Amino acid sequence: MSAITIRNLNVWFGAGAERSDAVKDVSFDVAEGESFGLVGESGSGKSTILRAIEGIAPNWSGHVSIAGEVLGKRRSRQFYRNVQMVFQDPYASLHPRQTVDRVLSEVMGLHGFTDIDSRIGRLLDDVGLGSGFRFRYPHQLSGGQRQRVAIARALAPEPRILLLDEPTSALDVSVQAEILNLLADLRAEHNLTYVMVSHDLGVVGHLCERIAVMKSAEIVEVLGVGEMRKLEANDPYTRHLLESSIHSVR
Amino acid sequence: MNDDKPLLDIENLQVRFATRTGTFEAVRGISFTLGRERLGIVGESGSGKSMTGRAILRLIRSPGTIEADRMALHGEDLLSVPEKRMRQLRGGKISMIMQDPKFSLNPVMSVGQQMVEALRTHESVSKAEARARAIAMLEEVSIRDPERVYDLFPHEVSGGMGQRIMIAMMLLPNPEVLIADEPTSALDVSVQLQVLDIMDRLVRERGMGLIFISHDLNLVAKFCDRIVIMYAGRIVEVCKASELRNASHPYTLGLLNSVPDLEHPRERLEVLQRDPAWREAPSVSART
Ligand SMILES: Nc1ncnc2c1ncn2[C@@H]1O[C@H](COP(=O)(O)OP(=O)(O)OP(=O)(O)O)[C@@H](O)[C@H]1O
Ligand SMILES: Nc1ncnc2c1ncn2[C@@H]1O[C@H](COP(=O)(O)OP(=O)(O)OP(=O)(O)O)[C@@H](O)[C@H]1O
Ligand SMILES: [Mg+2]
Ligand SMILES: [Mg+2]
């Protein structure tokens, strides 16, 4: 069964003459346990697609179904537990007056977990933050440390699907490697499904089997990671993107 | 450029925070100069890169404190100038693009309004001229449809757009020193190259000094002249950017090896095995 099915998705902001289309006629499927990447131009609608899946896009049309549940106006409780999102922006996504401990216990309380105390310890270890960070506030954390908290929060309800919006772009390369290894392990252990947005093709190539390339609110091409590595792209924008990303130091 | 005195001269900079569990030393005595060049600061998360940038602008919030033997811009002692003078320098002679764009933009003011206001605090220009320059600058950082974006509020722009808006805003008053903290981390590669190009031009044509903070070693190696590598609040290695491939510190090598590479995939990425000795080694000077 496919975990995510999207057909002819449109998302727009404003109305009438003010209307601007953020996502135009987008369709794709993600199989259960698959990891699907979204790359492309800044402002092309990648984050907006994730928001539409999560149900926080204001105006949309088309068909979206998640784990068999067709999305309408109302979503089941199960949906909210099953689908978790890690946002692009680790600053805005954490409440400034809540400690790490409070953020994590609140989510777990909300989803009915009881052994919260030991789970928090494990989660913090999982994302590479020791227990020393447990009672800190967001302003006492570096950018990368905040993003690790955001990932811990998304993992807390044990979701089936993770929507990852540039999950490592605020992280240094070593922590990024830890997080990518962690995401790979979690996926293998729990058969998680990922949709990951990243502008870093190395990152997407490491974690994803298939990649959709976006430009001006549309998907211009979907390609497998193998084709991507061999720079076998049909669309000129995809080729341009691939060519600008392949010069590393070593 | 015939004046080779450094723009910034920093000696033994320290940033500390009083916390419940004692004093935390975020920056532990680093020294460097900045000429009319592109200086990269790289290092893992929490190594003190942002605090170094913020300390130069005296933007460390209490309970943090800044100490240094010297911290001078063009010979002017930044540690002792009154706050009023500091406000003039900030955003005028020295600008900083903060790591988080949306956090630094005012949420209740349109993008254009804030750009115009920021420019007009440092230069006496008419509203109409300020608007024209703001729109031109948005265009320069490859924002499509700059007139539309000018009227948007920060929550209405994408991550990469927010980052470019901040860059445009900081470049408007023609700073002499620009501190750019992860300025392109949310940008796709092609826009990233365009933004780097603009900064590069300012360094070459106007003799601006640029401190480029990033954890992306490949990017820094390609783009900067000199690279400072930070670990636990100290500098562990300094090198010419073109010689990063010959770096010798195991920490630097570890950082280089943990980057996922599209062309050379691996099953698992390498992660750093930290050696306690790295913390204790004295800071390497990056003064020229
Ligand atoms: N609340 C909003 N009101 C109006 N326009 C919006 C709003 N949110 C997003 N947009 C517009 O929708 C378009 C797509 O934005 P989105 O955030 O999906 O881009 P993105 O592909 O994630 O870009 P980036 O890589 O820069 O994060 C942009 O043009 C943006 O200005
Ligand atoms: N208010 C504070 N109280 C205590 N510690 C703090 C405070 N602010 C920052 N720190 C600590 O100072 C250290 C340096 O932070 P800094 O923001 O400079 O890191 P960074 O190198 O920029 O990391 P990143 O790449 O994640 O942005 C971090 O370990 C951080 O936790
Ligand atoms: Mg986005
Ligand atoms: Mg930082």
Side-chain angles (χ1 to χ4, degrees):
Chain A
M1 189 180 67
S2 79
I4 300 173
T5 304
I6 293 183
R7 288 289 172 276
N8 312 103
L9 175 68
N10 292 287
V11 185
W12 62 94
F13 295 97
E18 298 277 274
R19 171 169 164 153
S20 80
D21 294 293
V23 175
K24 286 195 276 199
D25 202 27
V26 158
S27 303
F28 62 85
D29 293 282
V30 185
E32 208 177 314
E34 194 189 10
S35 184
F36 187 77
L38 281 174
V39 302
E41 213 180 32
S42 171
S44 61
K46 304 180 297 293
S47 299
T48 304
I49 290 180
L50 296 191
R51 279 187 224 119
I53 297 175
E54 225 216 343
I56 49 177
N59 320 297
W60 63 280
S61 67
H63 169 94
V64 179
S65 63
I66 307 292
E69 181 177 342
V70 177
L71 298 191
K73 283 227 168 58
R74 299 197 47 214
R75 282 149 200 230
S76 66
R77 247 186 104 85
Q78 196 57 35
F79 173 86
Y80 286 108
R81 183 175 157 188
N82 276 343
V83 181
Q84 292 292 321
M85 178 136 166
V86 176
F87 290 91
Q88 185 163 4
D89 187 342
Y91 292 82
S93 66
L94 295 177
H95 191 290
R97 294 218 186 77
Q98 290 186 349
T99 61
V100 172
D101 181 74
R102 170 104 184 270
V103 169
L104 297 179
S105 25
E106 230 164 55
V107 180
M108 286 193 245
L110 200 68
H111 292 283
F113 290 97
T114 46
D115 49 344
I116 289 178
D117 197 62
S118 60
R119 276 173 183 271
I120 290 182
R122 236 177 303 141
L123 268 176
L124 289 179
D125 279 347
D126 275 351
V127 296
L129 288 172
S131 52
F133 289 91
R134 184 157 171 179
F135 295 100
R136 289 215 196 176
Y137 288 92
H139 76 269
Q140 297 169 322
L141 302 169
S142 74
Q145 290 161 347
R146 287 180 214 209
Q147 191 62 315
R148 285 187 263 178
V149 175
I151 291 172
R153 178 180 58 187
L155 292 173
E158 303 188 332
R160 312 277 322 130
I161 297 174
L162 270 192
L163 306 177
L164 303 155
D165 195 351
E166 305 269 8
T168 60
S169 72
L171 304 180
D172 67 85
V173 288
S174 176
V175 180
Q176 167 170 288
E178 284 167 24
I179 297 282
L180 292 176
N181 285 342
L182 170 73
L183 288 171
D185 290 346
L186 290 167
R187 178 157 79 108
E189 269 168 46
H190 307 287
N191 196 34
L192 291 173
T193 304
Y194 294 156
V195 180
M196 182 163 81
V197 171
S198 174
H199 63 271
D200 184 328
L201 298 193
V203 167
V204 172
H206 183 75
L207 209 64
C208 300
E209 285 93 37
R210 283 189 309 138
I211 295 101
V213 181
M214 291 193 70
K215 184 171 192 287
S216 313
E218 290 174 292
I219 291 182
V220 296
E221 186 164 10
V222 177
L223 66 173
V225 67
E227 300 159 86
M228 192 165 100
R229 292 215 171 95
K230 284 180 264 161
L231 310 183
E232 288 171 3
N234 293 317
D235 182 82
Y237 176 71
T238 310
R239 275 205 299 276
H240 168 69
L241 208 58
L242 288 172
E243 274 152 21
S244 358
S245 332
I246 52 166
H247 315 285
S248 58
V249 173
R250 318 200 116 211
Chain B
M1 214 78 22
N2 53 5
D3 108 69
D4 25 285
K5 278 225 212 73
L7 293 169
L8 271 177
D9 189 352
I10 289 165
E11 220 178 306
N12 198 22
L13 173 67
Q14 301 164 53
V15 178
R16 291 194 184 83
F17 291 95
T19 70
R20 282 207 295 202
T21 50
T23 306
F24 180 80
E25 298 179 87
V27 178
R28 302 188 298 147
I30 64 171
S31 302
F32 64 95
T33 48
L34 174 74
R36 301 180 188 283
E37 63 178 330
R38 298 163 300 183
L39 178 70
I41 301 185
V42 292
E44 64 175 358
S45 177
S47 56
K49 305 181 297 293
S50 297
M51 290 303 144
T52 300
R54 299 182 68 105
I56 295 169
L57 288 167
R58 289 207 340 224
L59 283 178
I60 303 284
R61 264 175 294 174
S62 157
T65 57
I66 308 168
E67 266 175 59
D69 294 347
R70 178 206 300 274
M71 189 164 91
L73 171 73
H74 271 316
E76 182 172 2
D77 180 14
L78 295 176
L79 284 167
S80 64
V81 299
E83 184 51 34
K84 181 152 172 272
R85 170 73 180 143
M86 207 58 218
R87 273 200 299 274
Q88 266 173 4
L89 292 173
R90 248 183 243 137
K93 279 197 159 149
I94 320 183
S95 272
M96 179 158 176
I97 298 166
M98 296 289 174
Q99 187 163 6
D100 181 70
K102 291 208 177 159
F103 196 67
S104 341
L105 289 170
N106 182 344
V108 296
M109 229 184 181
S110 75
V111 162
Q113 250 178 309
Q114 347 199 357
M115 291 184 73
V116 163
E117 200 155 285
L119 177 60
R120 279 165 51 98
T121 51
H122 294 286
E123 255 180 75
S124 51
V125 290
S126 71
K127 280 205 171 126
E129 193 197 331
R131 180 174 196 276
R133 268 172 65 184
I135 288 177
M137 195 49 101
L138 287 174
E139 197 152 22
E140 263 210 80
V141 293
S142 310
I143 296 263
R144 291 194 174 195
D145 203 353
E147 313 252 348
R148 176 181 83 93
V149 174
Y150 185 90
D151 290 320
L152 293 180
F153 284 83
H155 73 274
E156 299 174 327
V157 304
S158 78
M161 286 158 75
Q163 207 160 42
R164 279 175 288 161
I165 289 164
M166 274 306 291
I167 293 170
M169 189 150 125
M170 293 302 137
L171 291 178
L172 264 185
N174 281 327
E176 278 182 66
V177 172
L178 178 67
I179 302 169
D181 194 353
E182 303 278 6
T184 62
S185 63
L187 302 181
D188 64 88
V189 274
S190 67
V191 174
Q192 189 174 65
L193 293 177
Q194 288 162 28
V195 166
L196 295 180
D197 213 46
I198 300 169
M199 293 199 228
D200 192 46
R201 237 173 30 231
L202 293 172
V203 173
R204 276 186 293 109
E205 290 169 12
R206 298 202 199 124
M208 186 179 80
L210 175 69
I211 296 181
F212 190 88
I213 299 175
S214 174
H215 57 257
D216 187 335
L217 283 98
N218 287 310
L219 182 70
V220 168
K222 263 187 281 179
F223 177 64
C224 291
D225 303 305
R226 223 158 40 105
I227 304 181
V228 158
I229 294 134
M230 283 188 77
Y231 180 74
R234 286 192 180 156
I235 298 176
V236 297
E237 192 163 16
V238 185
C239 66
K240 273 187 131 160
S242 54
E243 276 155 26
L244 182 64
R245 67 188 71 237
N246 305 323
S248 59
H249 198 287
Y251 169 66
T252 313
L253 297 178
L255 290 178
L256 281 168
N257 286 330
S258 49
V259 183
D261 183 337
L262 185 58
E263 290 169 293
H264 309 100
R266 327 178 196 194
E267 191 58 32
R268 288 191 84 68
L269 297 169
E270 242 176 77
V271 295
L272 276 180
Q273 303 302 323
R274 294 174 183 77
D275 181 340
W278 297 351
R279 279 194 122 259
E280 300 315 321
S283 193
V284 176
S285 172
R287 302 182 76 218
T288 50

